[in-house]
């Protein structure tokens, strides 16, 4: 049986990295064979694209350039990591995927959604996540959680940008059954407990 594809989404500082660790612990407990990866990234070239994407440049980087960069990285990631693992029955847990492109480049940068949909079909063909955890956090809380760290190009955007990103995620979450929305403004133990409960149900249904 093909492995299951689980993604985590949310604005900066919403707790994806933190919750990913608990998610992986739960899969280990249940003896599910899995790999953990991230986007943009997950392969040598895709990680180099990530670096270029998040670096600060003197020239203007358009939203469409960002779309093309993340889909180039995604093609490498799908071909060399995600598909082969899923095909051999290994589950794939990924920190961000195409929902991020719709939220960041589509909603926040204003790139035509049709372009993103076409690339999604072209690059992914019939591959979509089976389960997506969306860690929902208001931008002001996101700001305070990442305050003090050196910010990359995306993290340096303003609150209005992250408000749009959040709205983009909420819009997509409402349209897709695979989404599990978690209120990430709660204490971490509550978020983790909720995530664990949903994940255990999913593992039971898919084993
Ligand atoms: N991107 C990506 C695009 O624009 N388009 C795309 O298609 C894709 C795939 C990637 C960047 O690329 C962009 C989006 C991003 O800008 P990234 O590393 O995935 O960057 O994303 P970040 O969101 O920058 O990662 P962060 O590390 O900032 O955020 P996390 O992982 O969501 O948050 P985490 O777990 O590191 O937590 C942040 C802090 O909050 C605390 C943690 O302890 C930590 O200190 N915390 C909590 N505190 C209180 N209560 C809770 N419930 C907490 N949960 C975590």
């Amino acid at each position: 049986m093909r492995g299951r594809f689980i993604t985590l989404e949310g604005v900066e500082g919403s707790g994806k990295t933190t919750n990913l660790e608990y998610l992986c612990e739960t899969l280990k407990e249940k003896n599910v064979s899995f790999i953990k990866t991230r986007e943009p990234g997950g392969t040598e070239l895709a990680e180099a694209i990530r670096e270029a994407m998040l670096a600060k440049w003197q020239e203007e980087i358009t939203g469409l350039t960002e779309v093309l960069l993340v889909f180039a990285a995604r093609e490498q990631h799908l071909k060399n990591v995600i598909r082969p693992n899923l095909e051999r029955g290994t589950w794939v847990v990924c920190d961000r995927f195409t929902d991020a492109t719709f939220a960041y480049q589509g909603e926040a940068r204003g790139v035509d959604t049709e372009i993103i949909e076409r690339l999604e079909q072209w690059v992914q063909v019939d591959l979509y996540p089976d389960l997506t955890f969306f860690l929902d956090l208001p931008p002001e809380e996101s700001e305070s959680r990442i305050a003090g760290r050196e910010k990359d190009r995306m993290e340096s955007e303003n609150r209005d940008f992250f408000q749009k990103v959040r709205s983009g995620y909420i819009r997509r979450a409402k349209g897709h059954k695979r989404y599990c929305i978690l209120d990430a403004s709660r204490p971490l133990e509550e978020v983790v407990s909720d995530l664990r409960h949903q994940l255990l149900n999913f593992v039971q249904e898919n084993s």
Side-chain angles (χ1 to χ4, degrees):
M1 192 166 87
R2 163 181 152 333
R4 294 289 174 247
F5 185 23
I6 302 176
T7 56
L8 276 101
E9 300 282 358
V11 295
E12 269 65 9
S14 55
K16 295 178 307 303
T17 312
T18 312
N19 281 277
L20 195 73
E21 294 309 316
Y22 292 100
L23 194 157
C24 292
E25 262 180 34
T26 306
L27 291 180
K28 266 187 219 154
E29 258 173 51
K30 291 283 149 193
N31 293 318
V32 174
S33 154
F34 70 94
I35 59 143
K36 182 177 82 167
T37 185
R38 68 173 182 180
E39 287 222 344
T43 79
E44 194 184 1
L45 177 58
E47 287 291 331
I49 294 173
R50 175 192 180 94
E51 239 175 79
M53 161 98 179
L54 300 181
K56 291 180 177 165
W57 299 94
Q58 294 296 326
E59 70 191 85
E60 187 202 342
I61 310 299
T62 72
L64 184 57
T65 299
E66 290 181 358
V67 169
L68 296 170
L69 285 172
V70 293
F71 271 104
R74 191 161 292 142
E75 163 68 5
Q76 288 302 112
H77 196 200
L78 281 164
K79 173 80 174 57
N80 295 332
V81 176
I82 299 180
R83 283 188 197 283
N85 275 287
L86 293 176
E87 276 158 22
R88 69 172 77 101
T90 303
W91 289 30
V92 174
V93 179
C94 192
D95 190 339
R96 298 190 186 278
F97 195 62
T98 308
D99 292 315
T101 319
F102 282 99
Y104 282 78
Q105 282 67 47
E107 193 83 17
R109 292 272 192 244
V111 175
D112 188 344
T113 306
E114 217 177 285
I115 295 175
I116 304 175
E117 283 169 352
R118 278 203 204 162
L119 283 162
E120 182 186 37
Q121 282 162 15
W122 199 25
V123 171
Q124 291 170 220
V125 190
D126 55 356
L127 185 65
Y128 295 88
D130 299 299
L131 172 66
T132 299
F133 288 104
F134 167 48
L135 293 154
D136 185 27
L137 189 71
E140 52 279 15
E141 290 192 42
S142 153
E143 273 170 27
S144 74
R145 284 199 196 163
I146 65 168
R149 64 159 90 148
E150 200 183 324
K151 296 191 173 59
D152 62 35
R153 192 172 60 84
M154 300 299 280
E155 288 168 344
S156 307
E157 290 292 343
N158 60 26
R159 192 178 287 183
D160 181 49
F161 179 86
F162 290 110
Q163 187 54 57
K164 287 182 186 156
V165 171
R166 184 188 185 200
S167 309
Y169 273 128
I170 292 171
R171 194 196 309 279
R172 276 188 76 71
K174 286 188 177 151
H176 293 87
K177 282 197 183 140
R178 67 179 156 85
Y179 261 97
C180 170
I181 306 175
L182 302 172
D183 174 359
S185 63
R186 294 172 297 164
L188 182 60
E189 310 76 65
E190 283 183 33
V191 184
V192 169
S193 151
D194 206 355
L195 177 137
R196 196 177 141 78
H197 174 74
Q198 305 284 350
L199 180 64
L200 286 171
N201 285 343
F202 182 78
V203 170
Q204 197 173 14
E205 284 163 14
N206 288 274
S207 317

